[in-house]
Short mmCIF file of all heavy atoms in Angstrom, two decimals:
data_model
loop_
_atom_site.label_atom_id
_atom_site.label_comp_id
_atom_site.label_asym_id
_atom_site.label_seq_id
_atom_site.Cartn_x
_atom_site.Cartn_y
_atom_site.Cartn_z
N ASN A 301 1.38 -14.59 -12.88
CA ASN A 301 0.14 -14.01 -13.44
C ASN A 301 -0.39 -12.99 -12.40
O ASN A 301 -0.99 -13.39 -11.40
CB ASN A 301 -0.92 -15.10 -13.79
CG ASN A 301 -2.04 -14.56 -14.51
OD1 ASN A 301 -2.48 -13.38 -14.41
ND2 ASN A 301 -2.56 -15.37 -15.40
N GLY A 302 -0.21 -11.68 -12.65
CA GLY A 302 -0.73 -10.70 -11.78
C GLY A 302 -2.26 -10.80 -11.47
O GLY A 302 -2.74 -10.59 -10.37
N TYR A 303 -2.97 -11.00 -12.56
CA TYR A 303 -4.44 -11.23 -12.53
C TYR A 303 -4.73 -12.32 -11.44
O TYR A 303 -5.68 -12.20 -10.63
CB TYR A 303 -4.96 -11.52 -13.91
CG TYR A 303 -6.53 -11.76 -13.91
CD1 TYR A 303 -7.35 -10.69 -14.17
CD2 TYR A 303 -7.04 -12.98 -13.71
CE1 TYR A 303 -8.70 -10.82 -14.24
CE2 TYR A 303 -8.41 -13.20 -13.69
CZ TYR A 303 -9.26 -12.14 -14.03
OH TYR A 303 -10.59 -12.29 -13.99
N GLU A 304 -4.08 -13.47 -11.65
CA GLU A 304 -4.33 -14.56 -10.78
C GLU A 304 -4.02 -14.22 -9.30
O GLU A 304 -4.72 -14.60 -8.33
CB GLU A 304 -3.47 -15.78 -11.16
CG GLU A 304 -3.86 -17.05 -10.45
CD GLU A 304 -5.22 -17.64 -10.72
OE1 GLU A 304 -5.95 -17.12 -11.63
OE2 GLU A 304 -5.74 -18.48 -10.01
N ILE A 305 -2.93 -13.46 -9.05
CA ILE A 305 -2.54 -13.03 -7.69
C ILE A 305 -3.72 -12.26 -7.11
O ILE A 305 -4.10 -12.46 -5.94
CB ILE A 305 -1.29 -12.24 -7.76
CG1 ILE A 305 -0.05 -13.13 -8.09
CG2 ILE A 305 -0.99 -11.53 -6.37
CD1 ILE A 305 1.21 -12.43 -8.21
N GLY A 306 -4.28 -11.34 -7.88
CA GLY A 306 -5.32 -10.46 -7.40
C GLY A 306 -6.50 -11.27 -7.06
O GLY A 306 -7.15 -11.12 -6.05
N TYR A 307 -6.89 -12.17 -7.96
CA TYR A 307 -8.12 -13.00 -7.77
C TYR A 307 -7.97 -13.96 -6.62
O TYR A 307 -8.94 -14.01 -5.81
CB TYR A 307 -8.32 -13.74 -9.12
CG TYR A 307 -9.80 -14.39 -9.12
CD1 TYR A 307 -10.85 -13.69 -9.74
CD2 TYR A 307 -9.96 -15.69 -8.66
CE1 TYR A 307 -12.12 -14.30 -9.71
CE2 TYR A 307 -11.23 -16.23 -8.59
CZ TYR A 307 -12.26 -15.53 -9.18
OH TYR A 307 -13.55 -16.17 -9.18
N GLN A 308 -6.89 -14.67 -6.53
CA GLN A 308 -6.71 -15.53 -5.44
C GLN A 308 -6.56 -14.79 -3.97
O GLN A 308 -6.96 -15.33 -3.01
CB GLN A 308 -5.42 -16.28 -5.63
CG GLN A 308 -5.44 -17.26 -6.75
CD GLN A 308 -6.57 -18.35 -6.55
OE1 GLN A 308 -6.94 -18.66 -5.49
NE2 GLN A 308 -7.10 -18.78 -7.74
N THR A 309 -6.22 -13.57 -4.07
CA THR A 309 -6.15 -12.78 -2.85
C THR A 309 -7.61 -12.59 -2.32
O THR A 309 -7.86 -12.77 -1.09
CB THR A 309 -5.53 -11.38 -3.05
OG1 THR A 309 -4.07 -11.55 -3.38
CG2 THR A 309 -5.66 -10.48 -1.82
N ILE A 310 -8.49 -12.15 -3.20
CA ILE A 310 -9.87 -12.06 -2.74
C ILE A 310 -10.51 -13.37 -2.28
O ILE A 310 -11.14 -13.45 -1.38
CB ILE A 310 -10.71 -11.46 -3.91
CG1 ILE A 310 -10.29 -10.03 -4.23
CG2 ILE A 310 -12.22 -11.42 -3.52
CD1 ILE A 310 -10.35 -9.06 -3.10
N ARG A 311 -10.26 -14.35 -3.10
CA ARG A 311 -10.79 -15.78 -2.76
C ARG A 311 -10.30 -16.22 -1.40
O ARG A 311 -11.03 -16.72 -0.55
CB ARG A 311 -10.35 -16.80 -3.83
CG ARG A 311 -10.94 -18.10 -3.54
CD ARG A 311 -10.30 -19.21 -4.55
NE ARG A 311 -8.86 -19.37 -4.33
CZ ARG A 311 -8.45 -20.30 -3.46
NH1 ARG A 311 -9.25 -20.94 -2.73
NH2 ARG A 311 -7.14 -20.42 -3.24
N THR A 312 -8.98 -16.07 -1.10
CA THR A 312 -8.45 -16.48 0.13
C THR A 312 -8.98 -15.63 1.28
O THR A 312 -9.27 -16.25 2.30
CB THR A 312 -6.87 -16.34 0.05
OG1 THR A 312 -6.35 -17.19 -1.05
CG2 THR A 312 -6.19 -16.78 1.37
N ILE A 313 -9.01 -14.39 1.14
CA ILE A 313 -9.56 -13.52 2.22
C ILE A 313 -11.02 -13.86 2.59
O ILE A 313 -11.41 -14.00 3.70
CB ILE A 313 -9.47 -12.06 1.92
CG1 ILE A 313 -7.95 -11.65 1.90
CG2 ILE A 313 -10.16 -11.12 2.83
CD1 ILE A 313 -7.66 -10.19 1.38
N VAL A 314 -11.86 -14.02 1.52
CA VAL A 314 -13.27 -14.49 1.73
C VAL A 314 -13.30 -15.82 2.42
O VAL A 314 -14.16 -15.95 3.37
CB VAL A 314 -14.07 -14.49 0.43
CG1 VAL A 314 -15.41 -15.11 0.60
CG2 VAL A 314 -14.17 -13.07 -0.15
N GLN A 315 -12.59 -16.68 2.08
CA GLN A 315 -12.52 -18.04 2.72
C GLN A 315 -12.20 -17.87 4.18
O GLN A 315 -12.81 -18.51 5.07
CB GLN A 315 -11.54 -18.97 2.08
CG GLN A 315 -11.95 -19.51 0.71
CD GLN A 315 -10.94 -20.34 0.09
OE1 GLN A 315 -9.71 -20.28 0.37
NE2 GLN A 315 -11.33 -21.29 -0.84
N SER A 316 -11.15 -17.03 4.48
CA SER A 316 -10.84 -16.81 5.80
C SER A 316 -11.95 -16.14 6.67
O SER A 316 -12.19 -16.52 7.77
CB SER A 316 -9.50 -15.94 5.98
OG SER A 316 -9.09 -15.67 7.29
N LEU A 317 -12.60 -15.14 6.10
CA LEU A 317 -13.67 -14.41 6.80
C LEU A 317 -14.86 -15.42 6.93
O LEU A 317 -15.60 -15.13 7.97
CB LEU A 317 -14.06 -13.19 5.90
CG LEU A 317 -13.10 -12.08 5.77
CD1 LEU A 317 -13.68 -10.93 4.88
CD2 LEU A 317 -12.77 -11.46 7.18
N ASP A 318 -14.95 -16.43 6.16
CA ASP A 318 -16.08 -17.36 6.30
C ASP A 318 -15.65 -18.41 7.32
O ASP A 318 -16.53 -19.38 7.56
CB ASP A 318 -16.43 -18.03 4.92
CG ASP A 318 -17.15 -17.11 3.98
OD1 ASP A 318 -17.68 -16.06 4.48
OD2 ASP A 318 -17.18 -17.39 2.76
N GLY A 319 -14.45 -18.33 8.00
CA GLY A 319 -14.15 -19.25 9.03
C GLY A 319 -13.32 -20.40 8.46
O GLY A 319 -13.00 -21.43 9.30
N GLU A 320 -12.99 -20.56 7.24
CA GLU A 320 -12.21 -21.62 6.71
C GLU A 320 -10.75 -21.41 6.98
O GLU A 320 -10.22 -20.27 7.11
CB GLU A 320 -12.41 -21.72 5.13
CG GLU A 320 -13.78 -22.00 4.71
CD GLU A 320 -13.87 -22.14 3.25
OE1 GLU A 320 -12.91 -22.62 2.60
OE2 GLU A 320 -14.97 -21.70 2.70
N MET A 321 -9.93 -22.58 7.17
CA MET A 321 -8.54 -22.46 7.32
C MET A 321 -7.98 -22.11 6.06
O MET A 321 -8.32 -22.69 5.03
CB MET A 321 -8.03 -23.74 7.86
CG MET A 321 -8.54 -24.04 9.30
SD MET A 321 -7.81 -22.94 10.57
CE MET A 321 -6.04 -23.47 10.37
N VAL A 322 -6.98 -21.21 6.02
CA VAL A 322 -6.26 -20.86 4.82
C VAL A 322 -4.75 -21.20 5.05
O VAL A 322 -4.30 -21.17 6.15
CB VAL A 322 -6.38 -19.44 4.40
CG1 VAL A 322 -7.87 -19.12 4.06
CG2 VAL A 322 -5.87 -18.44 5.44
N GLN A 323 -4.03 -21.38 4.00
CA GLN A 323 -2.59 -21.75 4.05
C GLN A 323 -1.79 -20.50 4.37
O GLN A 323 -2.17 -19.41 4.09
CB GLN A 323 -2.13 -22.31 2.75
CG GLN A 323 -2.84 -23.60 2.32
CD GLN A 323 -2.29 -24.15 0.98
OE1 GLN A 323 -1.78 -23.42 0.15
NE2 GLN A 323 -2.54 -25.43 0.73
N ASP A 324 -0.62 -20.78 4.97
CA ASP A 324 0.24 -19.67 5.25
C ASP A 324 0.73 -19.04 3.99
O ASP A 324 0.92 -17.76 3.86
CB ASP A 324 1.56 -20.18 5.98
CG ASP A 324 1.18 -20.59 7.45
OD1 ASP A 324 0.15 -20.19 7.97
OD2 ASP A 324 1.98 -21.42 7.99
N ASN A 325 0.93 -19.82 2.89
CA ASN A 325 1.30 -19.30 1.55
C ASN A 325 0.45 -19.88 0.56
O ASN A 325 0.31 -21.09 0.44
CB ASN A 325 2.73 -19.70 1.35
CG ASN A 325 3.78 -19.14 2.28
OD1 ASN A 325 3.94 -17.94 2.20
ND2 ASN A 325 4.32 -19.94 3.19
N THR A 326 -0.26 -19.01 -0.18
CA THR A 326 -1.03 -19.45 -1.38
C THR A 326 -0.19 -19.01 -2.62
O THR A 326 -0.19 -17.78 -2.98
CB THR A 326 -2.44 -18.80 -1.34
OG1 THR A 326 -3.10 -19.22 -0.18
CG2 THR A 326 -3.20 -19.24 -2.62
N TYR A 327 0.44 -19.93 -3.26
CA TYR A 327 1.33 -19.61 -4.41
C TYR A 327 0.63 -19.82 -5.75
O TYR A 327 -0.16 -20.70 -5.93
CB TYR A 327 2.55 -20.52 -4.40
CG TYR A 327 3.53 -20.34 -3.28
CD1 TYR A 327 4.05 -21.42 -2.57
CD2 TYR A 327 3.91 -19.03 -2.89
CE1 TYR A 327 4.98 -21.18 -1.52
CE2 TYR A 327 4.88 -18.96 -1.85
CZ TYR A 327 5.40 -19.92 -1.14
OH TYR A 327 6.25 -19.75 -0.12
N VAL A 328 0.81 -18.88 -6.63
CA VAL A 328 0.39 -18.99 -7.96
C VAL A 328 1.45 -19.72 -8.74
O VAL A 328 2.59 -19.69 -8.43
CB VAL A 328 0.09 -17.55 -8.60
CG1 VAL A 328 -1.01 -16.86 -7.86
CG2 VAL A 328 1.32 -16.74 -8.72
N ASP A 329 1.06 -20.19 -9.96
CA ASP A 329 2.07 -20.87 -10.77
C ASP A 329 3.12 -19.93 -11.34
O ASP A 329 2.82 -18.76 -11.66
CB ASP A 329 1.27 -21.62 -11.97
CG ASP A 329 0.44 -22.85 -11.56
OD1 ASP A 329 0.75 -23.36 -10.36
OD2 ASP A 329 -0.47 -23.16 -12.28
N THR A 330 4.27 -20.45 -11.61
CA THR A 330 5.35 -19.66 -12.17
C THR A 330 6.06 -20.40 -13.21
O THR A 330 7.19 -20.96 -13.07
CB THR A 330 6.41 -19.23 -11.11
OG1 THR A 330 6.88 -20.45 -10.26
CG2 THR A 330 5.81 -18.23 -10.10
N PRO A 331 5.34 -20.63 -14.40
CA PRO A 331 5.93 -21.43 -15.46
C PRO A 331 7.10 -20.72 -16.18
O PRO A 331 7.16 -19.38 -16.17
CB PRO A 331 4.81 -21.58 -16.40
CG PRO A 331 3.99 -20.28 -16.20
CD PRO A 331 4.10 -19.96 -14.68
N LEU A 332 7.95 -21.45 -16.78
CA LEU A 332 9.09 -20.90 -17.59
C LEU A 332 8.46 -20.69 -19.09
O LEU A 332 8.11 -21.66 -19.72
CB LEU A 332 10.19 -21.79 -17.63
CG LEU A 332 11.40 -21.21 -18.39
CD1 LEU A 332 12.05 -20.02 -17.62
CD2 LEU A 332 12.51 -22.32 -18.57
N ILE A 333 8.46 -19.48 -19.48
CA ILE A 333 7.93 -19.08 -20.73
C ILE A 333 9.04 -18.94 -21.73
O ILE A 333 10.01 -18.12 -21.50
CB ILE A 333 7.09 -17.78 -20.77
CG1 ILE A 333 5.95 -17.89 -19.74
CG2 ILE A 333 6.57 -17.43 -22.11
CD1 ILE A 333 5.16 -16.63 -19.45
#
Side-chain angles (χ1 to χ4, degrees):
N301 190 327
Y303 180 92
E304 187 67 14
I305 290 172
Y307 191 91
Q308 292 299 329
T309 295
I310 298 298
R311 182 186 69 84
T312 301
I313 292 175
V314 170
Q315 287 177 336
S316 179
L317 293 176
D318 285 343
E320 298 182 33
M321 293 292 295
V322 299
Q323 298 177 340
D324 292 339
N325 296 291
T326 300
Y327 291 134
V328 299
D329 290 338
T330 52
L332 186 67
I333 301 172

